[in-house]
Amino acid sequence: MTQQEALETIVKALDSKRAEDIQVLHVEDLTILGDYFIIANGTSTTNTRTLADEVEYQMTQKGREPGHREGRGNGSNWVVLDYADIIVHIFYKETRDFYQLERLWADGEQVDISQWIKTENGAC
């Protein structure tokens, strides 16, 4: 699986479970943590966990397992899935507003994901 295919799989998995404000930041030149950060939020802690489960399921179907997971317990406000080159951050909305990772990594390049997100009428 190429890096581009992994990004698409993750974004589509998040979108399929109604993640809010999905953003992909290219941070390769800014940190050794990974090449991309994917940031999204759910509407509740249950939705946040569901989003993480769906990403993990879809990536496993494509043969990739996260090297590390954080925040998977009940009531989690922030789940992190580490795929080495892609770090997925899934927040509860208020937690995302508090930490503002997008502001912290504002020097990262915003990736256009519009081709992977369904519009209101269901088309990609």
Side-chain angles (χ1 to χ4, degrees):
M1 165 181 279
T2 68
Q3 196 173 53
Q4 200 67 16
E5 289 170 334
L7 290 171
E8 181 177 355
T9 298
I10 294 166
V11 169
K12 285 183 172 182
L14 291 168
D15 188 49
S16 75
K17 296 296 181 185
R18 302 194 185 275
E20 294 181 338
D21 194 16
I22 303 167
Q23 294 190 31
V24 177
L25 300 174
H26 184 228
V27 295
E28 181 178 15
D29 296 333
L30 304 175
T31 181
I32 61 170
L33 296 175
D35 297 344
Y36 292 91
F37 285 172
I38 298 178
I39 305 168
N41 65 269
T43 55
S44 67
T45 55
T46 301
N47 183 232
T48 300
R49 193 172 50 252
T50 299
L51 293 169
D53 289 345
E54 185 65 15
V55 167
E56 201 168 340
Y57 174 76
Q58 293 299 328
M59 289 294 281
T60 298
Q61 293 299 303
K62 305 259 178 155
R64 274 194 78 181
E65 298 289 335
H68 191 74
R69 301 171 193 87
E70 284 291 330
R72 295 299 295 252
N74 289 335
S76 293
N77 292 326
W78 184 356
V79 178
V80 178
L81 299 172
D82 183 351
Y83 289 97
D85 56 336
I86 301 170
I87 312 297
V88 184
H89 299 271
I90 305 168
F91 291 94
Y92 179 58
K93 183 168 179 24
E94 283 76 16
T95 306
R96 182 178 184 174
D97 291 342
F98 179 79
Y99 285 102
Q100 299 181 9
L101 282 189
E102 298 91 335
R103 200 174 108 222
L104 182 64
W105 295 99
D107 291 340
E109 178 187 344
Q110 187 82 26
V111 176
D112 179 14
I113 60 170
S114 60
Q115 70 274 16
W116 301 329
I117 302 290
K118 289 185 180 178
T119 60
E120 290 296 316
N121 63 13
C124 281

